[in-house]
């Protein structure tokens, strides 16, 4: 409460000058108190007061009083009272989160069924679901940390990678929690919003604690131990939040609330975040007081008709927002209500419109909009939309465009490599499926015109029945490459690059 009072200010204080003419108007327009003749002193005081002319009129509220109060509220509302900061509308409503999962042999203990690691994966899936639409990255660490997935709002990217994490894929045994924190900070980089890091673990090497204790960003720990057991090294950590494992979703709900709270606190400390205009809170009482003017004798009855039927088409019920909000403001309202499809139709700003359509699952339309914006962010967003729409070649081209416009962009580099890897797997699987190496279909059923293009232009001859070509989703689901092998190879390669 004290902080709210200290932060209270007006965004447009010059509008408060209208309080002066409002006060003068009230003073000049309000009827003066008028008493009749002095009554004899023998009359009882309470009777004399009742007999005085104008006494009742002085006591009751008059129309001018309601009008003055309404105008005062309106002037304060227009002045823009503010005491809290508002997040940037271009970023997610929650802070970026990096999840650092400990993947060691100890996490295979079965004191939490089916195992600590498998239950931790389920907790991560639940947290991703609770943070739907929020950017989340995943790190796996043992003796070395490895980025499994960059910051992404698409849970479908995280889930298959999460399933492939086992101690066998980690190239070095140990506990490098401090190095995982450094990697998490590099992933967060310099975001527009405050980021947080969540460690999911069952123990911490004491030698790692000094670096964790001095972290400059909020840290959260989910301890994967049965019966609410604590980790001694984490006790007394004033700058970290420790949440014990629970068999239900209480731990996830608590983490979600705590992360949101840390995000809100960080927004309040950042001067780069705009103040939230709370004038609408004062506009409501002004509107309610204005309704008093519709009493008989208080206002011309035609005023209601002028307000409600001023538009020629009479569309006052559905179109009232057009009187007060711009299309982009209406689109943001729809975004806040998670009505992304409607927001995509309301926005006039191209980037906002494309983002809303991508959130609504209209990836083709979103990609087309982003392709017409000449910025690195738009090209990156186009790549995300293309890859979600299974358009891997255009996605690669979009990420390459983003890197041309903004070189040394880690996320764009990473997504470019992921797109190429997915395209490689899809086309390899398509070749195996089409040539019959795996499915048993005759090699003569498919003819490739160009081996270098790997089936970009093909002619397929199939018999009637079940010979329909595989869809992109079927290609992906039929990929034989084990995710554990993929992650193991990638982690080994990363360690080799670090040692060079």
């Amino acid at each position: 409460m004290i902080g709210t009072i200290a932060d209270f200010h007006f965004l447009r204080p010059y509008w408060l000058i209208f309080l002066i003419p409002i006060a003068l108007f009230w003073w000049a327009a309000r009827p003066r108190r008028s008493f009749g003749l002095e009554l004899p002193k023998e009359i009882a005081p309470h009777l004399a007061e009742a007999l005085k002319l104008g006494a009742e009129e002085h006591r009751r509220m008059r129309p001018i009083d309601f009008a003055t109060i309404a105008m005062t509220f309106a002037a304060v509302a227009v002045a823009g009272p503010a005491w809290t900061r508002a997040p940037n509308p271009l970023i997610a409503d929650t802070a970026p989160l990096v999840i650092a999962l400990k993947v060691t042999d100890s996490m295979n203990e079965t004191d939490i069924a089916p195992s600590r690691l498998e239950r931790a994966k389920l907790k991560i899936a639940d947290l991703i679901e609770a943070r739907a639409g929020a950017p989340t990255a995943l790190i796996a660490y043992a003796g070395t940390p490895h980025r499994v997935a960059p910051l992404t709002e698409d849970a479908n990217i995280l889930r298959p990678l999460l399933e492939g994490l086992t101690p066998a894929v980690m190239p070095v045994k140990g506990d490098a929690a401090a190095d995982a924190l450094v990697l998490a900070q590099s992933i967060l980089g310099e975001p527009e919003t405050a980021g947080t890091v969540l460690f999911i673990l069952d123990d911490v090497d004491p030698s790692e604690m000094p670096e964790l204790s001095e972290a400059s960003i909020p840290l959260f720990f989910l301890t994967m131990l049965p019966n609410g057991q604590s980790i001694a090294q984490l006790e007394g950590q004033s700058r970290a939040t420790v949440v014990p494992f629970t068999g239900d979703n209480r731990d996830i709900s608590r983490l979600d609330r705590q992360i949101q709270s840390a995000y809100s606190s960080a927004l309040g400390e950042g001067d780069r975040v705009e103040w939230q205009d709370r004038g609408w809170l004062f506009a409501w009482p002004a509107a309610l007081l204005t309704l008093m003017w519709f009493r008989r004798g208080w206002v011309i009855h035609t005023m209601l008709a002028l307000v409600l039927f001023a538009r020629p088409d009479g569309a006052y019920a559905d179109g009232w927002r057009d009187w007060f909000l711009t299309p982009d403001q209406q689109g943001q309202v729809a975004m806040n209500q998670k009505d992304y499809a409607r927001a995509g139709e309301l926005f006039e700003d191209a980037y906002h419109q494309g983002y809303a359509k991508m959130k609504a699952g209209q990836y083709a339309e979103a990609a087309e909009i982003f392709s017409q914006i000449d910025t690195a962010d738009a090209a990156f967003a186009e790549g995300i939309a293309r890859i979600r729409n299974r358009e891997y070649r255009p996605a690669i081209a979009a990420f390459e465009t983003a890197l041309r416009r903004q070189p040394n962009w880690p996320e764009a580099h990473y997504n470019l490599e992921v797109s190429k890897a997915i395209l490689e797997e899809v086309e390899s699987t398509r070749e195996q499926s089409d040539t019959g190496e795996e499915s048993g279909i005759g090699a003569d059923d498919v003819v490739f015109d160009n081996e270098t293009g790997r089936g970009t232009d093909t002619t397929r001859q199939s018999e009637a029945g079940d010979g329909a070509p595989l869809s992109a989703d079927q290609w992906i689901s039929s990929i034989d490459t084990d995710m554990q092998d993929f992650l193991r190879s990638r982690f080994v390669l990363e360690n080799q690059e670090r040692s060079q």
Side-chain angles (χ1 to χ4, degrees):
M1 178 62 70
I2 297 177
T4 299
I5 297 175
D7 292 335
F8 183 88
H9 66 286
F10 291 97
L11 301 177
R12 299 172 293 275
Y14 46 85
W15 282 96
L16 295 177
I17 197 172
F18 283 94
L19 293 176
I20 298 175
I22 290 173
L24 295 176
F25 169 76
W26 175 83
W27 179 258
R30 197 177 197 282
R32 297 293 183 268
R33 179 177 179 180
S34 176
F35 297 103
L37 298 173
E38 291 293 333
L39 299 176
K41 296 181 179 180
E42 290 78 8
I43 299 177
H46 65 284
L47 296 176
E49 185 68 20
L51 292 173
K52 290 180 178 179
L53 297 177
E56 183 65 24
E57 286 76 3
H58 176 73
R59 282 196 298 266
R60 68 184 179 89
M61 293 287 290
R62 303 183 64 85
I64 188 61
D65 299 325
F66 285 97
T68 302
I69 297 174
M71 288 187 292
T72 300
F73 274 115
V76 173
V78 175
W83 56 88
T84 57
R85 293 188 181 271
N88 190 319
L90 292 178
I91 57 179
D93 293 334
T94 53
L97 174 67
V98 178
I99 301 176
L101 175 63
K102 184 180 179 183
V103 185
T104 60
D105 292 333
S106 65
M107 289 288 286
N108 277 334
E109 294 291 335
T110 57
D111 50 1
I112 299 178
S115 71
R116 296 177 182 177
L117 181 59
E118 292 303 318
R119 202 58 178 271
K121 293 178 182 179
L122 294 176
K123 291 294 183 182
I124 293 175
D126 291 341
L127 183 59
I128 294 173
E129 185 69 22
R131 287 169 42 84
T136 305
L138 180 62
I139 290 174
Y141 75 94
T144 53
H146 301 274
R147 181 173 63 174
V148 180
L151 286 172
T152 176
E153 298 177 9
D154 190 355
N156 295 325
I157 294 178
L158 294 176
R159 289 192 180 98
L161 295 171
L162 186 64
E163 291 301 320
L165 290 176
T166 65
V169 307
M170 306 306 294
V172 180
K173 297 184 179 298
D175 183 356
D179 292 337
L181 175 60
V182 174
L183 179 57
Q185 290 175 319
S186 68
I187 292 176
L188 292 173
E190 297 293 336
E192 295 296 327
T193 56
T196 53
V197 178
L198 168 64
F199 282 89
I200 301 181
L201 41 71
D202 59 353
D203 195 12
V204 184
D205 191 326
S207 62
E208 304 291 308
M209 287 308 301
E211 289 81 0
L212 297 179
S213 301
E214 298 175 358
S216 59
I217 59 178
L219 294 185
F220 295 84
F221 294 89
L222 177 59
T223 57
M224 300 303 299
L225 295 175
N227 303 320
Q229 298 178 20
S230 61
I231 298 176
Q233 293 87 339
L234 298 179
E235 294 181 355
Q237 293 294 320
S238 58
R239 301 182 63 180
T241 301
V242 181
V243 177
F245 165 82
T246 62
D248 52 18
N249 284 334
R250 287 179 298 169
D251 48 1
I252 298 302
S253 299
R254 180 181 172 186
L255 279 171
D256 192 28
R257 291 195 305 270
Q258 295 280 2
I259 292 171
Q260 290 284 1
S261 177
Y263 172 56
S264 299
S265 299
L267 286 181
E269 297 172 358
D271 293 336
R272 67 183 183 275
V273 182
E274 296 181 355
W275 289 96
Q276 191 169 13
D277 190 341
R278 298 287 187 173
W280 63 272
L281 293 174
F282 293 84
W284 276 111
L288 293 175
L289 288 170
T290 303
L291 292 178
M292 297 296 296
W293 279 76
F294 295 107
R295 294 181 60 184
R296 176 181 293 181
W298 280 38
V299 74
I300 301 175
H301 295 293
T302 55
M303 182 178 293
L304 179 60
L306 291 175
V307 172
L308 295 182
F309 303 103
R311 296 183 60 175
D313 56 2
Y316 55 87
D318 297 330
W320 66 270
R321 282 186 170 86
D322 296 336
W323 301 351
F324 305 102
L325 301 176
T326 66
D328 287 339
Q329 290 173 333
Q330 295 180 45
Q332 186 59 47
V333 171
M335 285 288 290
N336 295 339
Q337 297 173 348
K338 300 188 183 302
D339 190 355
Y340 303 121
R342 183 166 175 268
E345 299 299 326
L346 291 172
F347 274 123
E348 288 185 345
D349 179 81
Y351 189 88
H352 284 75
Q353 185 182 47
Y355 180 74
K357 287 184 176 293
M358 186 165 64
K359 295 282 285 185
Q362 301 172 8
Y363 302 126
E365 296 88 338
E368 183 64 26
I369 293 173
F370 287 131
S371 66
Q372 300 176 12
I373 305 176
D374 189 20
T375 65
D377 289 336
F380 184 86
E382 180 191 353
I384 296 295
R386 297 285 188 191
I387 199 171
R388 291 184 184 179
N389 203 39
R390 312 299 188 190
E391 301 177 53
Y392 303 113
R393 291 185 186 277
I396 292 173
F399 289 127
E400 290 175 344
T401 301
L403 288 172
R404 285 198 302 271
R405 295 172 179 173
Q406 183 178 329
N408 302 323
W409 189 352
E411 286 74 14
H413 276 290
Y414 184 83
N415 284 344
L416 177 61
E417 296 302 320
V418 170
S419 302
K420 290 180 177 179
I422 294 176
L423 180 63
E424 180 76 18
E425 294 292 347
V426 169
E427 293 187 335
S428 297
T429 304
R430 180 193 298 178
E431 288 181 0
Q432 293 175 3
S433 175
D434 291 343
T435 58
E437 295 180 10
E438 298 294 334
S439 61
I441 301 175
D444 293 337
D445 292 333
V446 177
V447 177
F448 289 104
D449 293 330
N450 56 333
E451 287 297 326
T452 58
R454 309 195 65 174
T456 302
D457 296 317
T458 63
T459 302
R460 180 181 178 89
Q461 299 174 352
S462 60
E463 298 180 358
D466 57 354
L470 296 175
S471 67
D473 289 335
Q474 290 172 326
W475 288 333
I476 292 178
S477 63
S478 62
I479 292 175
D480 295 324
T481 302
D482 187 83
M483 184 60 71
Q484 293 184 13
D485 293 337
F486 171 73
L487 292 175
R488 184 187 301 111
S489 300
R490 206 183 81 189
F491 292 169
V492 170
L493 180 61
E494 288 179 359
N495 277 351
Q496 292 176 353
E497 293 176 350
R498 290 172 184 167
S499 61
Q500 292 177 356

